[in-house]
Amino acid sequence: MNTDMNNDMNQQSPISMNILIVEDDAIQRSGLNHIIAELYPAFSVFTASCFNEATAIIDSSKFDLFMLDINLGDGKSGLDVCSYLRRKPEHKDTPVVFITDVTNPSLDVINKYHCRYYFSKPYNSDEVVSAINNVMHGSESIPTKLQLKDIQGILFHVIPQDIIFVRSEGHHKHIFTVNGDFIVTNSTFDTLMEKPDIPLVRCHRSYYFTPSFIHSYDRANCLLMLSGVQGSIPIGRKYKTETEKYLENR
């Protein structure tokens, strides 16, 4: 995924935070630690590989964020760690991010432990940034992530509300999101559009957009400017009336 389009969304934050990563896989633990250290140098990152290590660290320090692998593989899970820390008054409301092998984990489980966010393996630095930014900006909603496959057969996860616009390119669709862009087949895109709560609106035979990203509208030239991307996208005559309804309601 190409993240050059929107690097300004991943700016380093001057805010200092203490983060505890609980992950039994040494490579995953080291990789996540490296991502955070590189992008957020002001953060202090602690790591634990199992329930006992995690609880010992929790007992000795105060944290601003917990990132917990659900499957720890030692008879105890990240849910057990979360249950333990929630019993401590100082961590009753501390944000928790779950790391899971499941694409869409049970919302009942997430809500029970007051999880602020989650991301699924395999993940990339963009998803880590989204999780941390979600916590820092105080959003309480748990976004629904969809698993898609690009034209090279690589699986990835996307939050529908993060899609800025889509451009048709022959047998493919080029999808631009807040975290980068990727290309999928038309059939994959058609499957995406069948999902509930997809915010995309068609404005041209070759373009779809998400209304929440509307920045401005050049009515004379029928061009739509969207936040997060350079340039503009056209509005076709067939779709002009419907598109302008979203412009009036924003």
Side-chain angles (χ1 to χ4, degrees):
M1 184 179 292
N2 177 13
T3 58
D4 292 339
M5 177 188 67
N6 209 27
N7 280 335
D8 59 333
M9 302 191 79
N10 290 350
Q11 293 295 318
Q12 295 175 352
S13 169
I15 298 174
S16 177
M17 293 178 67
N18 285 344
I19 298 178
L20 175 60
I21 298 170
V22 184
E23 166 66 70
D24 64 311
D25 185 292
I27 295 176
Q28 296 268 358
R29 188 169 64 250
S30 176
L32 182 54
N33 189 357
H34 176 75
I35 290 172
I36 297 173
E38 183 175 47
L39 296 176
Y40 300 92
F43 289 7
S44 296
V45 182
F46 299 73
T47 63
S49 63
C50 64
F51 176 85
N52 289 338
E53 284 185 12
T55 55
I57 295 173
I58 292 169
D59 288 344
S60 63
S61 303
K62 189 176 186 304
F63 292 93
D64 303 293
L65 171 63
F66 295 95
M67 307 186 84
L68 311 176
D69 180 20
I70 290 182
N71 299 313
L72 294 178
D74 65 346
K76 294 283 188 177
S77 71
L79 301 179
D80 294 311
V81 175
C82 191
S83 180
Y84 180 87
L85 67 90
R86 286 291 184 236
R87 292 196 295 270
K88 292 186 167 294
E90 67 269 28
H91 290 310
K92 180 181 178 182
D93 298 310
T94 304
V96 171
V97 173
F98 281 134
I99 307 167
T100 173
D101 294 318
V102 180
T103 303
N104 288 307
S106 167
L107 288 180
D108 289 338
V109 171
I110 287 174
N111 292 331
K112 176 181 177 182
Y113 293 96
H114 308 292
C115 169
R116 179 67 62 82
Y117 200 92
Y118 76 88
F119 53 83
S120 305
K121 299 178 183 179
Y123 53 83
N124 56 37
S125 59
D126 292 327
E127 292 177 279
V128 176
V129 168
S130 292
I132 293 175
N133 287 346
N134 178 278
V135 169
M136 291 170 62
H137 296 155
S139 173
E140 296 291 342
S141 62
I142 303 299
T144 298
K145 296 184 181 182
L146 302 178
Q147 181 171 274
L148 299 177
K149 183 182 293 186
D150 69 12
I151 58 173
Q152 296 178 325
I154 299 174
L155 290 173
F156 59 93
H157 302 100
V158 62
I159 298 172
Q161 289 73 22
D162 284 350
I163 299 174
I164 302 173
F165 77 96
V166 178
R167 182 175 65 219
S168 296
E169 298 177 352
H171 297 296
H172 302 135
K173 290 290 192 295
H174 198 157
I175 300 177
F176 295 83
T177 80
V178 297
N179 291 319
D181 62 290
F182 49 87
I183 300 174
V184 301
T185 63
N186 284 340
S187 61
T188 296
F189 180 75
D190 291 341
T191 300
L192 171 66
M193 292 298 289
E194 293 173 358
K195 303 289 186 182
D197 301 323
I198 299 300
L200 290 168
V201 174
R202 193 166 196 172
C203 64
H204 187 276
R205 65 180 182 179
S206 299
Y207 286 87
Y208 301 75
F209 74 100
T210 298
S212 62
F213 287 98
I214 294 174
H215 180 269
S216 59
Y217 175 43
D218 182 345
R219 190 180 298 271
N221 296 300
C222 292
L223 295 174
L224 196 61
M225 276 62 73
L226 302 174
S227 301
V229 293
Q230 295 182 344
S232 59
I233 64 174
I235 298 176
R237 181 164 37 182
K238 178 180 177 180
Y239 305 96
K240 183 177 180 181
T241 300
E242 187 66 23
T243 300
E244 289 184 344
K245 289 181 182 178
Y246 291 95
L247 294 166
E248 293 169 359
N249 294 331
R250 69 191 182 99

